[in-house]
Amino acid sequence: MPITATQINTFIAAAAKSIRDHENEITALDQATGDGDHVYNLQRGLAALETLDDELEGLDWSDALQKIGMNLMSTVGGASGSLFATLFIAMSKALRGKEMNAEHFAEAFKQSVDAVRKRGKADAGDKTMLDVLIPVAAVLQEAAREAAGLTETLQRVEQAAEKGCESTRDMIASRGRAAFLGERSRGHLDPGARSSQAIIAAVCAALSALQTGARLS
Ligand code: ADP
Ligand code: MG
């Protein structure tokens, strides 16, 4: 069974569940280094995506990702809203007219992470979601180059996301609200890195459950 954009609804439900499961932890992180609204912002976006449901059915990857990005842009507040929206809109652009496969997805993900970097004027080491997204983009490209199987690719992605998230603990924030705290931001994971990692882990698990051992197509 090939993975199609129809399954996006499964991934959205998995992401929403994961954010619910980690709600208290992520809120505590944003209370420590920001203003405490990160989960609330995300949940507004995820709830909007869950109501799209039928509208996503039958779209190709590019159109579905575009619709998701536009919805996130108008529903998620905070700094993270426009950044997550940028990620999906840029991914949609990069996949337009292209067949979905491991190589094209890895290239599209890389381009979308670059778009987030540009939009947020941030990079690896700034203690943001980019500390998860950048290493994930790198392992996706590496796995595609090596023609690794789906199971192997998902494992590498999950590990890179976890390591990237954990790496934010000892960083001093230099972007976003947490940057106002300077040295005091050290010792906490970045909330956007933690939510990105939780979503990536949930989507990997959902993808794995849908199609163990097969290729993304
Ligand atoms: P706000 O900070 O406006 O309250 P959120 O709480 O929703 O927005 O999101 C905070 C998260 O957004 C941070 O934990 C960080 O991961 C991410 N973030 C903030 N600013 C930037 C930026 N310039 N570049 C990349 N990510 C950022
Ligand atoms: Mg916040």
Side-chain angles (χ1 to χ4, degrees):
M1 181 185 72
I3 299 294
T4 67
T6 317
Q7 267 94 37
I8 283 182
N9 285 321
T10 309
F11 302 148
I12 291 170
K17 178 177 184 314
S18 180
I19 292 302
R20 270 197 306 277
D21 290 348
H22 297 96
E23 183 175 346
N24 294 341
E25 181 201 340
I26 298 170
T27 294
L29 292 174
D30 198 34
Q31 279 165 347
T33 62
D35 56 358
D37 64 349
H38 184 56
V39 166
Y40 180 70
N41 289 336
L42 273 179
Q43 285 183 332
R44 224 178 12 223
L46 287 163
L49 295 186
E50 284 185 303
T51 64
L52 279 180
D53 214 1
D54 297 354
E55 285 183 57
L56 292 177
E57 295 275 349
L59 297 183
D60 69 12
W61 280 98
S62 178
D63 287 346
L65 292 166
Q66 169 80 11
K67 203 176 250 302
I68 287 173
M70 296 306 280
N71 259 272
L72 293 178
M73 189 64 92
S74 58
T75 56
V76 185
S80 63
S82 69
L83 296 169
F84 283 129
T86 297
L87 186 79
F88 285 96
I89 291 167
M91 218 183 302
S92 157
K93 261 192 205 137
L95 284 169
R96 188 147 302 144
K98 292 219 169 111
E99 156 200 10
M100 176 60 110
N101 58 34
E103 190 192 335
H104 290 160
F105 180 72
E107 180 54 33
F109 196 83
K110 163 86 172 68
Q111 285 183 27
S112 63
V113 172
D114 284 344
V116 172
R117 253 180 171 143
K118 228 185 196 169
R119 174 111 193 183
K121 300 187 179 58
D123 220 321
D126 286 334
K127 196 179 176 95
T128 71
M129 59 174 75
L130 284 166
D131 290 304
V132 167
L133 299 178
I134 291 170
V136 165
V139 294
L140 277 172
Q141 285 200 300
E142 192 184 270
R145 263 197 310 273
E146 295 170 11
L150 182 65
T151 307
E152 166 75 19
T153 302
L154 293 177
Q155 260 167 19
R156 290 193 206 176
V157 165
E158 281 184 74
Q159 279 167 12
E162 257 174 48
K163 196 165 160 224
C165 176
E166 190 51 42
S167 76
T168 64
R169 193 186 298 281
D170 288 332
M171 292 176 186
I172 297 176
S174 46
R175 284 288 179 276
R177 252 175 235 286
F180 295 119
L181 289 181
E183 181 66 44
R184 282 181 296 137
S185 65
R186 208 200 285 276
H188 306 278
L189 294 177
D190 172 66
R194 182 68 179 97
S195 64
S196 301
Q197 183 262 322
I199 290 171
I200 287 167
V203 170
C204 284
L207 186 49
S208 177
L210 278 174
Q211 196 183 33
T212 310
R215 287 171 62 89
L216 197 65
S217 61

